[in-house]
Amino acid sequence: MSGWTYADSGVNIDQKSEAIKALVDEVSYKRQGLGQAVRLPGLFASLVDFGDRYITLATDGVGSKLLIAEELNKWDTVGIDCIAMNVNDTICVNAQPTSFVDYIAIDKPNPAITEEIGKGLQKGAELSDMEIVGGEIAVLPEIVNGVDLSGTCMGYVEKDRVITGETCAEGDLIVGLKSSGIHSNGLTLARKVLEANNISMRDSVKGVSGTVGEELLTPTEIYVKQVMAITKAHEVHGLIDITGGGLRNILRMRQGLQYVIDDPFEPAPIFKALQEIGQIETREIYQTLNMSLGFAIVAPAEDAEAIASEYPNAKVVGRVQKGAGVLLEPDDVLYDHY
């Protein structure tokens, strides 16, 4: 075969999009009045009308990163990932996360594992200034083989403070916030590439300190406090969580514009190692992994440059111009659908 793709590892993002559309097409009932949804496409978190505020809801899980936690018997950080995957979506509409409920599906009760998961959930809640108000542990031996962890986040935003990407404009700049590593997306591809080359989670690879497993378990960065401070101090037109789909997430912003990534972060060693080992093409890896760009902010040029100068994990990575899609330069890779 040529280079590895996400589809080769068992995850086809185009088929996933088709499956989502098939489900959404059947969910057609619309509530009217207080509590009705704001019907805008591409939002990272759902907006629900509650008078002078919007309530937000977002839901997500940790995914196959849990298989690495199981292999290493290290469960104390995946709770951070669970929180992060939800709150980083919540802040994309400039909402403050407030409340969280977790859901654990497990084949048999194991207090040692759930205690460690709880430690991560607690740390994630602290980093997000958010309270875990409830949850559920379901024992499902006939359905689950191991552990699955997910959750749902509620937040709120004043109506005059909501950010949806609709105001993105030609001349804006794109500020990137650096990721802490692979975060919690694309782990299936990473695992399959390593397995195919007989590299275990306890092995080391070129350029990466420690073992591969330790690196892949690095918790997802939580951007809540930083992004909330940025939107309070600066004009911001769009907020993007770079998760599943990589750069294609930027396509959720206002259409009729081209979002050019012309000075991306230098990818961390783990990304370079995976690309080399799996011979993964540039197009594929930038639409699967975050490549050290964990979060993106679209803002007027003056504000963008100020943001980049104020935060050590931030830099201007691109610009907004006439056109369509997301263009990765200098490779001239164009992503034209989400």
Side-chain angles (χ1 to χ4, degrees):
M1 62 184 282
S2 56
W4 271 84
T5 67
Y6 208 8
D8 293 330
S9 70
V11 182
N12 186 307
I13 54 178
D14 290 323
Q15 289 180 355
K16 174 185 173 181
S17 296
E18 291 172 5
I20 293 171
K21 182 179 184 303
L23 184 149
V24 172
D25 285 348
E26 296 302 316
V27 183
S28 59
Y29 178 77
K30 308 296 184 185
R31 177 181 170 84
Q32 301 298 319
L34 188 67
Q36 72 178 29
V38 176
R39 292 158 196 140
L40 290 174
L43 297 178
F44 285 84
S46 299
L47 291 168
V48 181
D49 193 331
F50 258 78
D52 58 353
R53 291 177 173 174
Y54 292 125
I55 300 298
T56 64
L57 291 171
T59 190
D60 207 345
V62 179
S64 65
K65 194 169 191 173
L66 294 167
L67 295 175
I68 303 172
E70 182 178 31
E71 184 172 342
L72 299 183
N73 194 28
K74 185 178 183 337
W75 298 95
D76 61 327
T77 60
V78 292
I80 300 175
D81 290 291
C82 187
I83 297 284
M85 298 303 291
N86 284 279
V87 297
N88 288 344
D89 276 358
T90 297
I91 59 176
C92 286
V93 291
N94 200 31
Q96 173 66 53
T98 60
S99 310
F100 191 83
V101 291
D102 60 87
Y103 175 80
I104 298 174
I106 194 166
D107 54 358
K108 57 183 177 181
N110 189 326
I113 291 176
T114 54
E115 178 183 5
E116 293 299 294
I117 290 174
K119 292 177 181 177
L121 290 170
Q122 169 65 18
K123 182 63 175 177
E126 291 175 359
L127 292 170
S128 308
D129 189 21
M130 178 184 66
E131 185 172 354
I132 298 175
V133 297
E136 168 74 1
I137 295 180
V139 181
L140 303 168
E142 296 176 295
I143 298 176
V144 177
N145 180 21
V147 179
D148 191 23
L149 172 63
S150 61
T152 299
C153 173
M154 185 181 81
Y156 77 94
V157 58
E158 306 293 337
K159 285 186 173 179
D160 61 356
R161 296 281 298 153
V162 69
I163 295 172
T164 65
E166 290 181 305
T167 58
C168 292
E170 181 184 357
D172 284 352
L173 296 181
I174 304 168
V175 179
L177 303 182
K178 202 166 188 178
S179 72
S180 56
I182 202 167
H183 286 182
S184 201
N185 290 104
L187 272 299
T188 299
L189 176 61
R191 289 173 36 252
K192 295 298 183 182
V193 164
L194 295 169
E195 288 173 8
N197 289 274
N198 298 312
I199 300 171
S200 81
M201 291 299 153
R202 292 180 171 82
D203 290 337
S204 297
V205 294
K206 179 182 176 181
V208 177
S209 61
T211 68
V212 172
E214 290 169 340
E215 174 63 32
L216 295 181
L217 280 183
T218 301
T220 303
E221 186 74 19
I222 290 177
Y223 298 103
V224 173
K225 294 178 181 178
Q226 181 177 4
V227 170
M228 291 292 96
I230 287 171
T231 60
K232 185 175 181 179
H234 298 282
E235 181 179 348
V236 170
H237 293 163
L239 297 163
I240 307 130
D241 191 9
I242 306 297
T243 57
L247 291 183
R248 283 164 62 161
N249 281 283
I250 301 174
L251 293 168
R252 298 182 184 218
M253 297 296 98
R254 178 185 168 190
Q255 298 299 296
L257 295 168
Q258 186 169 79
Y259 301 84
V260 182
I261 304 299
D262 55 12
D263 188 21
F265 286 108
E266 177 73 12
I270 185 62
F271 299 110
K272 294 181 179 180
L274 289 170
Q275 185 168 18
E276 181 178 342
I277 294 166
Q279 299 178 15
I280 307 171
E281 294 181 357
T282 298
R283 162 177 284 277
E284 184 67 20
I285 200 162
Y286 272 91
Q287 70 173 4
T288 305
L289 306 179
N290 68 63
M291 302 303 286
S292 290
L293 173 61
F295 199 91
I297 300 167
V298 181
E302 184 176 346
D303 289 275
E305 289 166 355
I307 293 166
S309 69
E310 290 168 8
Y311 295 91
N313 69 331
K315 65 173 282 190
V316 174
V317 297
R319 65 189 189 277
V320 182
Q321 63 184 26
K322 290 181 180 178
V326 177
L327 180 64
L328 174 63
E329 294 183 340
D331 299 273
D332 290 329
V333 174
L334 180 68
Y335 303 98
D336 57 7
H337 69 283
Y338 182 67

